[in-house]
Amino acid sequence: MTRKKSKVTKSAGRDRPKETPATAPRSSAARKTRTIKRAEDAPPRALSTPRRVDFPVVGIGASAGGLEALARFLETMPPNPGISCVVVVHLDAQHESLLPELLQRNTTLSVEQIADGQLIEPDTVYVVPPGAILSIFNGTLYLEQIKEERTTPLVIDQFFRSLAEDRKDNAVAIVLSGTGTDGTIGIRAIKGEAGLVMVQDGTAKYDGMPTSAIRTGLADYVLPAVSPFQRPD
């Protein structure tokens, strides 16, 4: 398959329904506070030093319906691909995530939940924890607590942008099943640094994110099984 050339181009009222316990906002005291795990001996971001990372880093963004696509992606991975994969998904900050354990069933690579300040290594799959915004700087993964907001932050866009800046042409962005448009802005940054963009095609269970990414015209590959190791002839 020939790689496609990219173009870097409330109003209050008397009739307001009464809030029920299920819909009423919880007080600050009732909210669950999640502590971000810190990697052992990890230096603060401001003190981190440039680190040679000469292998590709693959950022994978997914949301609704993404588990099945992620499983298929990992099933195609050879035992020692020489790359690092970073999975960024929309997770409920109020619940523990079983995603690392679920993905581990589909690969022989080590699947780890990210700790703040964790050094990135090849042949490893890293999964963002719930309630965190992820970035990469000098080959190190950093987490920031998501503040209480009514809208979901664009965590995939934010990671793709930092990945592009840190890894340049060694950055790969993959957009899988999900609603909304998260990831679309981020792939523009990836292509701006001559990185690679892959998008799941119409096989996506929810096509909002893939369709938005495809419409940019920046996708190098649009595939049913989105993997650098299974490209059509």
Side-chain angles (χ1 to χ4, degrees), residues 34-63:
R34 183 175 296 281
T35 302
I36 289 178
K37 181 180 178 182
R38 180 79 172 158
E40 294 183 4
D41 302 323
R45 178 176 179 135
L47 299 180
S48 66
T49 56
R51 174 171 169 261
R52 182 177 177 81
V53 178
D54 55 4
F55 51 86
V57 178
V58 181
I60 309 171
S63 187

Side-chain angles (χ1 to χ4, degrees), residues 35-168:
T35 302
I36 289 178
K37 181 180 178 182
R38 180 79 172 158
E40 294 183 4
D41 302 323
R45 178 176 179 135
L47 299 180
S48 66
T49 56
R51 174 171 169 261
R52 182 177 177 81
V53 178
D54 55 4
F55 51 86
V57 178
V58 181
I60 309 171
S63 187
L67 178 58
E68 181 181 349
L70 284 166
R72 289 203 306 269
F73 170 83
L74 292 177
E75 287 170 354
T76 69
M77 299 276 279
N80 299 290
I83 66 174
S84 176
C85 296
V86 183
V87 177
V88 183
V89 294
H90 298 152
L91 296 172
D92 187 344
Q94 304 303 321
H95 295 86
E96 297 294 334
S97 173
L98 297 177
L99 189 57
E101 290 84 350
L102 294 174
L103 295 181
Q104 187 66 78
R105 301 172 184 174
N106 300 280
T107 181
T108 58
L109 302 179
S110 174
V111 180
E112 305 175 9
Q113 183 164 280
I114 299 168
D116 184 40
Q118 184 167 8
L119 298 177
I120 200 164
E121 301 291 348
D123 304 328
T124 306
V125 179
Y126 299 93
V127 181
V128 68
I133 295 173
L134 176 66
S135 61
I136 182 171
F137 182 70
N138 288 339
T140 303
L141 297 170
Y142 290 96
L143 298 171
E144 178 185 348
Q145 194 82 44
I146 294 178
K147 298 178 181 178
E148 290 288 345
E149 296 179 351
R150 290 188 178 275
T151 58
T152 302
L154 300 177
V155 292
I156 299 171
D157 278 330
Q158 293 189 54
F159 178 67
F160 282 178
R161 287 199 297 260
S162 73
L163 179 62
E165 183 177 353
D166 197 63
R167 298 297 93 210
K168 308 297 184 183

Side-chain angles (χ1 to χ4, degrees), residues 60-63 66 69-70 73 174-178 198-200 204 206 209-210 226:
I60 309 171
S63 187
L70 284 166
F73 170 83
I174 297 179
V175 179
L176 300 179
S177 174
M198 307 179 77
V199 183
Q200 187 176 6
Y206 295 90
M209 283 169 40
V226 183

